Amino acid sequence: MTLFSDLGLNDSILKAIGDLGFQTPTPIQEKTIPTILSSANDVVALAQTGTGKTAGFGLPVLQLIDNDLRQPQALVLAPTRELCLQIASDLTRFSKHISNLNIAAIYGGASIVPQIKMLKAGVQIVVGTPGRTLDVIRRGALRLGRIKWLVLDEADEMLNMGFKEDLDEILLSTPSEKQTLLFSATMPNEVRDIANLYMNNAVEIAVGAKNAAADNVKHEYYMVKAADRYLALKRLADINPKIYGIVFCRTRQETKEVADKLIQDGYNADALHGDLSQAQRDYVMNRFRNKSLQLLIATDVAARGLDVNDLTHVINYNLPDDPEVYIHRSGRTGRAGKSGVSMTIIHSRETRKIKELEKISGKHFELKLVPSGREICEKRLFTVLDKLERIEVDENEISDFLPLAIKKLSWLDKDELIKRLVGLEFNHFIEYYKGAPDLNVAQEKEKDSTSNKRQQKRNKTYSRFYINLGLKNGLNATSLIGLINELTDDKSIDIGKIDILRKFSFFEIEKDFEQKILSSFNGVVYENIPVKVEVTAPADDNFDKNDRFGFERRKVKEDLGPQAARKPKKQRGGNDWSEVNQRRGGKFKDNRFGDNNHRDKRRKKR
Ligand code: ADP
Ligand code: MG
């Protein structure tokens, strides 16, 4: 086991971290501290939130600072005011036993005057947000000529927040002889660009697999209609009476809406987002930290500065665009050996994102059912009863009042008493969930039945046809299905896989209808091209890797509809072939009947 004293730290620092009760260095600290102490190499350090990155750069830099020199030697940039304050306060605690060391926090949303005063008084370390830091540089209050360490903390978030240009400008005004230390939870391309641009031969230190999600976090997802997201969220909160968690939303607006509704519905919740004043933000954060709040509704950016480690749940009200952000969010639960749950509410078309997350994180995501009203009522009831059983009654304190209570309730027998007690704590749940609908869509059962259907279809024998029309002729899966339906005049014929290529295409039809297809297409002319349809060899299964067109008919309508709609020019496709044909001026000719009004003719024929 490595000790802090093995890392080359001096006594005053060791004493300070001893005071803080840090026993052993975290994995990232084990690597960054000796590297920074012993070399001038630039460092890129990647580790999840909560892994002690602040001490990872703070301790060695504090040790190396020349405290006799009253000039800024280290500049730490961080994305938010909260983080600046947190880092400055951590550094102050780490340097408790170092004399003559001054640290300034420079951030927006507060008067610049005292900050400038502080800088003028002489500080060795500046911790700032990019915007305000640039401001004090431009005002001549901060000179970077003697900077030896430049720390970019939460670099990914600084870029997310649009600080790229500010960073560029600040970085350009630092001396080239310096050690740049970039700390980040994730390494998106933008961060890599910064590293490539401003760092030289950086040592890259990553702890754990960069993308790995914490091990003791269970990942669950719930599939509902988009409109039912909020109701699902409520149920998830209701079924977890002791929840202490963050609900992540995508936008400020969504954050506000969700929090407002929850508050209105009586939940112990509040919102954290950028539109709040500093005082409001501090207030909300403090209430959440000391657990007076159970649910914090927040955007990713707003939640960054929050150092809360013991969440029971992280709820993704909406999935972030960047999978790494999900991993970062879920890393806020399941800390310090405790188990945690990361729940995600999705709608049915987002399953692909779940698959992607599974791939990136290497974790299994379990599809769970949104609890029914009944399950929630049972759970809440159990919680109430459990509380009742465990409640400690101070007989001395209540003995004066007991006779009155006993007398008043003496006419109730035990069953009645229990009934009323339960009602008292519990009526509103029963009321609320009376007749509440099932919110789940495309649950496993349903999914099974579709895959069964697919399986059945696979088991059916199909004939595969070649047709000499393709994308070039304006054919797509929808229009081909329309064509088949129209020409056979029988919508019950099962169509299998369709492969549309540029000049020709393939489609599968139940074998029994082979002759019918051949005769229906016989002599048809499409866009002045005599249509040729032939039975061909069965498909090589590797032919169309992703089975893009292999949908059921219903699905093609759903999935290829927008694709068809994306071709505004000719409005091809659509299922009513004759209508399309008319619009096109009758290019599609059914020669058997001598004109293009084949449908009527065929009816006459019958
Ligand atoms: P990060 O920047 O990686 O998100 P922080 O530096 O904010 O993490 O540290 C998270 C928490 O862990 C802080 O409360 C910090 O005081 C604590 N901490 C850091 N290093 C250690 C350590 N070696 N032992 C115990 N606690 C630590
Ligand atoms: Mg940090």
Side-chain angles (χ1 to χ4, degrees), residues 4 22-26 29 48-55 86 307:
F4 275 110
F22 292 8
Q23 312 253 319
T24 50
T26 64
Q29 290 164 358
Q48 285 180 18
T49 308
T51 50
K53 293 194 285 297
T54 314
Q86 206 172 298
D307 167 35

Side-chain angles (χ1 to χ4, degrees), residues 16-264:
I17 52 185
D19 293 347
L20 288 171
F22 292 8
Q23 312 253 319
T24 50
T26 64
I28 191 81
Q29 290 164 358
E30 248 179 61
K31 294 187 175 156
T32 56
I33 294 173
T35 307
I36 299 171
L37 281 178
S38 65
S39 81
N41 285 332
D42 288 350
V43 174
V44 170
L46 301 172
Q48 285 180 18
T49 308
T51 50
K53 293 194 285 297
T54 314
F57 63 79
L59 300 178
V61 167
L62 281 168
Q63 176 159 325
L64 295 168
I65 291 262
D66 178 358
N67 45 348
D68 292 331
L69 185 68
R70 288 176 77 83
Q71 272 172 338
Q73 295 160 53
L75 172 63
V76 180
L77 295 172
T80 64
R81 169 195 127 115
E82 283 77 22
L83 276 170
C84 283
L85 287 169
Q86 206 172 298
I87 294 166
S89 122
D90 285 348
L91 295 181
T92 307
R93 290 189 298 162
F94 300 153
S95 59
K96 196 170 135 195
H97 302 291
I98 303 176
S99 52
N100 298 328
L101 191 103
N102 296 314
I103 300 164
I106 303 293
Y107 49 84
S111 167
I112 199 168
V113 180
Q115 294 176 358
I116 290 181
K117 234 187 209 163
M118 185 134 187
L119 291 171
K120 292 245 161 89
V123 299
Q124 287 94 348
I125 301 182
V126 176
V127 185
T129 53
R132 179 57 67 91
T133 301
L134 198 56
D135 202 349
V136 292
I137 292 173
R138 285 179 180 154
R139 288 168 192 240
L142 173 62
R143 285 177 218 287
L144 301 179
R146 292 290 187 98
I147 289 291
K148 287 171 83 175
W149 296 275
L150 176 71
V151 182
L152 304 172
D153 195 22
E154 307 261 14
D156 50 352
E157 202 54 46
M158 284 200 278
L159 295 173
N160 281 345
M161 290 176 68
F163 282 132
K164 172 86 172 61
E165 283 174 12
D166 290 353
L167 280 182
D168 284 341
E169 195 171 336
I170 297 170
L171 286 162
L172 285 173
S173 57
T174 55
S176 51
E177 280 299 302
K178 65 173 182 301
Q179 189 172 21
T180 303
L181 312 169
L182 184 151
F183 282 72
S184 191
T186 63
M187 188 72 164
N189 288 338
E190 297 76 21
V191 174
R192 182 137 331 256
D193 290 346
I194 287 269
N196 290 339
L197 197 57
Y198 294 109
M199 301 174 78
N200 302 315
N201 304 321
V203 183
E204 191 168 318
I205 298 174
V207 165
K210 242 174 289 173
N211 293 322
D215 268 338
N216 35 356
V217 178
K218 258 177 46 189
H219 301 267
E220 302 178 346
Y221 68 104
Y222 297 83
M223 214 191 287
V224 300
K225 282 193 238 131
D228 286 340
R229 246 179 236 277
Y230 176 70
L231 293 179
L233 171 66
K234 271 175 59 157
R235 291 197 190 181
L236 295 178
D238 284 344
I239 196 92
N240 292 292
K242 292 189 182 142
I243 193 167
Y244 174 56
I246 302 182
V247 178
F248 283 98
C249 295
R250 268 195 347 172
T251 60
R252 290 172 189 192
Q253 191 53 34
E254 188 176 75
T255 307
K256 274 191 240 177
E257 281 168 13
V258 172
D260 284 350
K261 280 200 249 175
L262 284 173
I263 295 167
Q264 245 173 35

Side-chain angles (χ1 to χ4, degrees), residues 519-538:
S519 62
S520 302
F521 274 91
N522 187 22
V524 170
V525 172
Y526 176 68
E527 299 252 18
N528 294 327
I529 298 172
V531 176
K532 235 172 41 199
V533 168
E534 292 163 6
V535 180
T536 175

